[in-house]
């Protein structure tokens, strides 16, 4: 379900829950787990952690489907043969499961890295000023947000195009 809902909606939901008067912040404050003046939206690390958690939460299901499909694609006879040969559980995992999952893990790593580099919608809607500046102190700025800022704020189309080409090359 988190993957189906638009990222902008989820970012807005999380912003509402963790802003100064948000229900989660108020709950944590009432339990005494955070200070009275704690504001997650004014803390750079809290903003980064929340954005990372949103991204993880949104793509966890998709990644697990790919990995489980990869594991189910391994023939059970390979595990049985390893057990017959006297391999321990760790060796079976390391030499059979991980070895046969390397292409799936590489696919997951590459698609996750590309998705992380292209991430725009969550940081652009999560914790920004009215002018669209990433808060606090640029903590939620990604490469794509930076490219857009180059175009909007400074009208530096050449630099934005150069950064876009570098991003494309990566």
């Amino acid at each position: 379900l988190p993957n189906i809902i638009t990222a902008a909606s989820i970012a807005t939901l999380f912003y509402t829950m963790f802003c100064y008067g948000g229900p989660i912040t108020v709950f944590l404050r009432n339990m005494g787990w955070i200070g009275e003046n704690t504001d997650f939206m004014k803390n750079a690390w809290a903003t980064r952690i929340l954005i990372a958690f949103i991204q993880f939460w949104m793509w966890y299901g998709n990644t697990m489907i790919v990995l489980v499909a990869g594991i189910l694609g391994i023939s059970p006879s390979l595990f049985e043969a390893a057990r017959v040969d006297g391999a321990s559980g760790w060796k079976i995992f390391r030499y059979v499961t991980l070895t046969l999952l390397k292409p799936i893990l590489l696919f997951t790593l590459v698609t996750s890295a590309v998705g992380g580099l292209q991430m725009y919608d969550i940081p652009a809607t999560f914790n920004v000023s009215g002018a669209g500046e990433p808060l606090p102190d640029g903590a939620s700025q990604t490469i794509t947000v930076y490219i857009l800022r180059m175009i909007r704020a400074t009208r530096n189309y050449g630099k934005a195009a150069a950064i876009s080409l570098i991003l494309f090359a990566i």
Side-chain angles (χ1 to χ4, degrees):
L1 187 62
N3 202 342
I4 296 171
I5 301 171
T6 63
S9 301
I10 291 176
T12 304
L13 172 71
F14 271 78
Y15 178 83
T16 304
M17 290 190 313
F18 284 95
C19 67
Y20 184 75
I24 293 180
T25 306
V26 170
F27 173 75
L28 294 173
R29 198 175 293 130
N30 290 341
M31 295 298 288
W33 294 342
I34 61 173
E36 190 63 36
N37 295 328
T38 302
D39 187 0
F40 292 113
M41 297 304 120
K42 291 185 180 177
N43 185 319
W45 278 104
T47 297
R48 288 182 186 127
I49 288 171
L50 285 170
I51 289 173
F53 177 76
I54 292 168
Q55 194 73 357
F56 168 79
W57 180 64
M58 283 185 65
W59 290 100
Y60 176 78
N62 185 37
T63 304
M64 290 313 305
I65 289 171
V66 170
L67 291 175
V68 168
I71 290 173
L72 292 176
I74 299 172
S75 174
S77 63
L78 295 172
F79 296 112
E80 293 171 14
R83 277 191 214 97
V84 168
D85 289 342
S88 65
W90 170 250
K91 286 188 177 184
I92 292 172
F93 175 73
R94 183 165 183 243
Y95 294 110
V96 177
T97 308
L98 278 183
T99 302
L100 295 173
L101 272 182
K102 278 184 184 176
I104 304 294
L105 290 172
L106 181 64
F107 169 79
T108 303
L109 178 69
V110 169
T111 55
S112 297
V114 168
L117 287 171
Q118 293 178 343
M119 183 173 43
Y120 171 77
D121 42 9
I122 294 171
T125 56
F126 180 66
N127 194 9
V128 293
S129 67
E133 293 290 320
L135 297 174
D137 299 327
S140 61
Q141 180 169 288
T142 61
I143 294 172
T144 52
V145 173
Y146 182 71
I147 292 169
L148 184 65
R149 280 189 52 223
M150 282 289 108
I151 293 170
R152 282 188 181 166
T154 64
R155 304 270 190 238
N156 194 341
Y157 298 109
K159 187 174 183 179
I163 295 169
S164 297
L165 286 174
I166 292 169
L167 179 62
F168 174 73
I170 293 171

